[in-house]
Amino acid sequence: MTPQKDKKDHLPVLGAGPAYVITIVVLTTTCIVLSQMGVLPYLRIRATIAVLHTAGTIFFAVGIWLWVLAAIKEKLQDNIIANKLITTGVYSVVRNPIYSAFAFVLTGVLLIYSNLYLLPLPILYWALLTIMMRATEEKWLLERFGDEYRDYCKRVNRCIPWFSKSK
């Protein structure tokens, strides 16, 4: 009798995403609430408010745009189930556009909130994403796609959308 092969022969559809997104949403919300309550200090410089609101709106919009392109236009779930490595479209400018999208949206929220003391949080988002991706999805993708994924990593940034590096 041969063992039955697992019907799920693809990477997890959600990956490490829910843990990352929940963590940064809770962190951002908690910091804003604690700031509003006076537990965390609040620093707003009147002269920077318009600039911060404009930048925040842009970050928020870029985050929504990244998410739509990655999740809907590129049909991420279908490609994961089909065991395809997506390296085109938005995935040619950032390896983790959905996670980056949430980081952009929450950075936009922080900029609009305009508490200068909370502006280091996006660095924490980046660090957390880097640690989580190295420990989970990047290992899975390297195991599944080998040199194809390794070459892709050399060309495309993990978290910050940017034009592809030369081969």
Side-chain angles (χ1 to χ4, degrees):
M1 198 163 114
T2 60
Q4 185 178 9
K5 189 176 179 182
D6 186 4
K7 288 187 179 223
K8 185 181 130 188
D9 190 29
H10 58 79
L11 297 175
V13 172
L14 295 178
Y20 173 71
V21 171
I22 290 167
T23 300
I24 67 172
V25 166
V26 168
L27 178 65
T28 303
T29 305
T30 301
C31 287
I32 288 173
V33 168
L34 291 176
S35 178
Q36 284 291 99
M37 293 172 56
V39 176
L40 291 177
Y42 190 94
L43 174 63
R44 175 183 265 178
I45 299 171
R46 186 176 295 242
T48 65
I49 293 173
V51 172
L52 291 173
H53 284 201
T54 301
T57 301
I58 291 168
F59 269 73
F60 195 90
V62 166
I64 300 296
W65 174 75
L66 280 172
W67 188 88
V68 167
L69 289 178
I72 297 172
K73 186 172 187 285
E74 296 296 334
K75 299 178 182 171
L76 178 63
Q77 184 173 340
D78 294 344
N79 282 297
I80 291 171
I81 292 169
N83 285 313
K84 292 181 183 176
L85 178 64
I86 311 168
T87 60
T88 58
V90 72
Y91 288 88
S92 69
V93 294
V94 64
R95 291 196 315 256
N96 298 289
I98 292 178
Y99 305 148
S100 296
F102 281 96
F104 269 84
V105 165
L106 292 172
T107 298
V109 168
L110 289 171
L111 290 166
I112 291 167
Y113 183 61
S114 303
N115 181 351
L116 299 178
Y117 285 128
L118 299 184
L119 294 185
L121 282 177
I123 296 168
L124 190 58
Y125 303 160
W126 170 82
L128 182 61
L129 181 59
T130 297
I131 291 165
M132 289 180 77
M133 290 304 99
R134 284 182 178 169
T136 59
E137 293 184 22
E138 289 181 4
K139 285 183 179 180
W140 304 337
L141 290 163
L142 190 57
E143 183 179 301
R144 171 88 41 169
F145 297 106
D147 287 338
E148 181 184 6
Y149 182 69
R150 192 174 287 112
D151 292 341
Y152 173 60
C153 290
K154 290 177 185 174
R155 294 189 317 270
V156 179
N157 291 323
R158 176 183 294 115
C159 321
I160 302 170
W162 199 255
F163 296 103
S164 187
K165 302 170 196 167
S166 61
K167 292 184 182 182

